[in-house]
Amino acid sequence: MSAGLALSGLDVGYAEGGALRRGRVRPVLSGVDAAAARGELTVLLGANGAGKSTLLRTLAGLLPALGGTVTLDGTDLLGLRAPERSRRVGVVLTDRPDPGQLTGRDVVELGRLPHTGATGVLTADDEAAVDAAIDAVRAGPLAGRPLARMSDGERQRMMVARALAQQPSLLLLDEPSAFLDVSSRVALLGTLRRLAGEQDLAVLLSTHDLEPALRLADRAWLLDGAGALHTGTPGELAASGAVGAVFDTDELAFDAPTGTFRLRTPG
């Protein structure tokens, strides 16, 4: 696959004491092969500690890869310099930054920095890209409001708009619904799937919202407890038993036909 994101033999991990040095690297995942196509919403699933954030942060350039290759639309993503990577990849993290007095539009305008450079001076084309990003997440009424006065769901919509303003080919999101209520979580997933199709984006997000993710995603990457990555459509992974093998507990069991969890019957 050339259109979209492709991982081949990717090894990821992190340094236990800071900088990557021999003997201090902790591998997390090895030999990862996966693809996320343009125009599709791909969800990254797995239990806590499975390596989801480490994998996403490596793809975003926040952690160095330990081995293997990653391409985006056929280009070596790991070899790109930071300015070029930031024009191709939009990132939304779980962190709650302090917005100060910034309005929603101010935040979205920050997404144009990869194109304006250090001056930050916006041209008419930059302003048009900001307008388009705000319209894409249907946040026009929020543009003039201070981010500090927005709900978590509204704020996250502006964070997605900021990433869209970069005009990327790939959108990476690490637990974007972590602080949202149930309806806002589902709405965000629906928005991301719509944006993937409308803007021909490859969208990859990690989430613990398993049931809505399996219902709304086009593809899924599932990390098991042994460090293996299973890929396929949500239906394929559910039917194969892979989802249940990762998430079943003594009290809960995943029901593949309905895509929901049920309480186990005593006895």
Side-chain angles (χ1 to χ4, degrees):
M1 178 187 298
S2 59
L5 179 70
L7 284 56
S8 179
L10 182 65
D11 302 331
V12 303
Y14 57 88
E16 294 183 324
L20 291 175
R21 300 191 189 101
R22 179 177 296 182
R24 302 190 68 182
V25 176
R26 180 176 178 181
V28 175
L29 300 170
S30 300
V32 175
D33 298 318
R38 278 180 175 262
E40 292 186 351
L41 172 63
T42 301
V43 292
L44 175 58
L45 308 171
N48 286 334
K52 300 188 299 297
S53 291
T54 303
L55 177 55
L56 276 181
R57 287 175 178 269
T58 301
L59 297 176
L62 302 176
L63 291 174
L66 305 183
T69 62
V70 179
T71 61
L72 179 59
D73 298 334
T75 299
D76 176 16
L77 183 59
L78 301 179
L80 292 179
R81 296 175 62 86
E84 178 62 22
R85 181 193 290 264
S86 65
R87 287 190 284 270
R88 290 174 176 254
V89 182
V91 180
V92 179
L93 301 177
T94 309
D95 306 335
R96 281 174 155 171
D98 180 2
Q101 298 300 312
L102 295 178
T103 66
R105 185 177 183 86
D106 292 336
V107 170
V108 179
E109 288 178 350
L110 294 175
R112 296 305 296 170
L113 285 177
H115 301 272
T116 65
T119 65
V121 177
L122 300 183
T123 66
D125 287 343
D126 294 318
E127 295 284 4
V130 170
D131 290 337
I134 292 172
D135 290 343
V137 298
R138 297 169 182 167
L142 302 175
R145 188 188 304 176
L147 206 71
R149 297 182 185 175
M150 294 184 190
S151 69
D152 287 330
E154 291 169 339
R155 183 180 298 199
Q156 202 65 310
R157 283 163 65 190
M158 303 314 296
M159 293 299 103
V160 173
R162 182 198 61 186
L164 291 176
Q166 296 172 225
Q167 297 180 310
S169 303
L170 170 65
L171 192 58
L172 300 174
L173 306 100
D174 188 13
E175 294 288 349
S177 60
F179 303 115
L180 307 186
D181 58 30
V182 174
S183 61
S184 296
R185 291 176 182 182
V186 176
L188 179 61
L189 284 172
T191 295
L192 292 170
R193 180 170 183 175
R194 172 177 58 81
L195 291 172
E198 289 179 354
Q199 302 200 14
D200 195 31
L201 288 169
V203 179
L204 174 63
L205 71 94
S206 67
T207 181
H208 283 106
D209 296 321
L210 185 61
E211 292 180 6
L214 291 174
R215 283 195 292 271
L216 293 172
D218 298 293
R219 303 280 296 181
W221 297 2
L222 175 64
L223 284 167
D224 64 23
L229 182 69
H230 307 265
T231 65
T233 67
E236 289 168 347
L237 294 181
S240 71
V243 174
V246 172
F247 292 105
D248 281 359
T249 68
D250 291 341
E251 293 79 25
L252 292 173
F254 183 74
D255 183 62
T258 63
T260 61
F261 283 91
R262 58 175 174 78
L263 286 172
R264 293 185 184 274
T265 303

